[in-house]
Amino acid sequence: LYARWIEFGAFSAILRMHSAHENPREGNLRMPWVYGRQGIELMRKYFALRLQLIPYLYSYAWQAHEQSVPLLRPLYLQYPDLEEAYRRPHEYFLGESMLVVPVLDPSGNQSIYLPPGAWLDFFSGKRYPGDNTFTEHYAVDETPVFVRAGAVIPEQPVSDYSDAHPLQRLIVNVFGAGSGSFDLYEDDGVSFAY
């Protein structure tokens, strides 16, 4: 459950561990070191990824501010005419290009629906056909995230914390063949000016 919480947090609007109030009597052990090396590595993996995705997230946070479109988007917001979109309340888009499917079953098996179009696994690049439902197993340190073919996902280099230095180097990932674009939002990275 701890691992799935960290994975979900990395692909949410706000990443919170809720580790400030450990209560062992209630079983609320929320510090990564409680889970040994595996817990610490899991936290590092997903927190580092979250920091890398800041240009993507920041751009969609700006879009949310400007257009009142949420950062996390239910399938039916992207596909209002698609019946299956209303049957998948736990799947959501993070921005326009990333489809996140949190693992809910303790076994690690997860049923996934991909909307029409071509899709790729965000982590492995494996291709999947759209308008398709399937079940896959995800290890405790894996989480299903898919991107549209042609998706452009901007990232920044790994750093120890989010504002270690202003964005000097942008990493642009293009996933597979397909038509894609991305409108990057930047400001001075320091003040409230925009």
Side-chain angles (χ1 to χ4, degrees):
L1 187 59
Y2 172 78
R4 300 308 184 192
W5 178 251
I6 294 296
E7 294 160 6
F8 171 71
F11 295 98
S12 294
I14 298 176
L15 173 57
R16 294 184 182 180
M17 288 179 54
H18 294 284
S19 62
H21 304 288
E22 177 183 11
N23 186 342
R25 289 177 288 158
E26 294 178 4
N28 295 333
L29 302 172
R30 299 179 187 147
M31 285 84 159
W33 52 86
V34 170
Y35 301 94
R37 183 182 178 115
Q38 188 179 18
I40 292 169
E41 290 304 314
L42 178 98
M43 187 219 45
R44 283 187 178 145
K45 173 183 176 179
Y46 284 100
F47 279 36
L49 176 59
R50 173 71 176 210
L51 287 172
Q52 286 176 267
L53 287 171
I54 284 179
Y56 180 83
L57 297 169
Y58 200 70
S59 295
Y60 280 110
W62 174 253
Q63 189 179 93
H65 167 74
E66 282 288 294
Q67 301 173 13
S68 299
V69 178
L71 185 60
L72 274 64
R73 305 167 183 188
L75 266 64
Y76 58 79
L77 188 62
Q78 300 285 90
Y79 295 93
D81 297 328
L82 190 62
E83 187 69 31
E84 188 65 25
Y86 295 88
R87 295 188 185 120
R88 298 291 175 160
H90 298 105
E91 293 187 21
Y92 61 91
F93 282 92
L94 179 63
E96 286 185 22
S97 298
M98 301 177 82
L99 178 64
V100 182
V101 187
V103 176
L104 303 175
D105 193 293
S107 73
N109 294 329
Q110 184 61 45
S111 172
I112 297 163
Y113 171 73
L114 296 177
W119 295 87
L120 291 93
D121 182 288
F122 176 75
F123 297 101
S124 71
K126 180 179 175 182
R127 297 178 184 278
Y128 291 86
D131 201 19
N132 184 28
T133 301
F134 59 96
T135 300
E136 283 202 17
H137 177 77
Y138 291 88
V140 72
D141 65 341
E142 299 174 327
T143 193
V145 179
F146 301 89
V147 290
R148 301 174 195 276
V152 178
I153 309 286
E155 294 183 6
Q156 67 185 20
V158 177
S159 62
D160 291 334
Y161 48 92
S162 63
D163 61 352
H165 47 77
L167 182 62
Q168 296 172 352
R169 192 170 129 235
L170 185 69
I171 300 166
V172 179
N173 296 304
V174 179
F175 290 83
S179 179
S181 66
F182 189 87
D183 291 325
L184 180 70
Y185 171 73
E186 292 182 285
D187 55 28
D188 66 14
V190 179
S191 72
F192 289 115
Y194 54 87

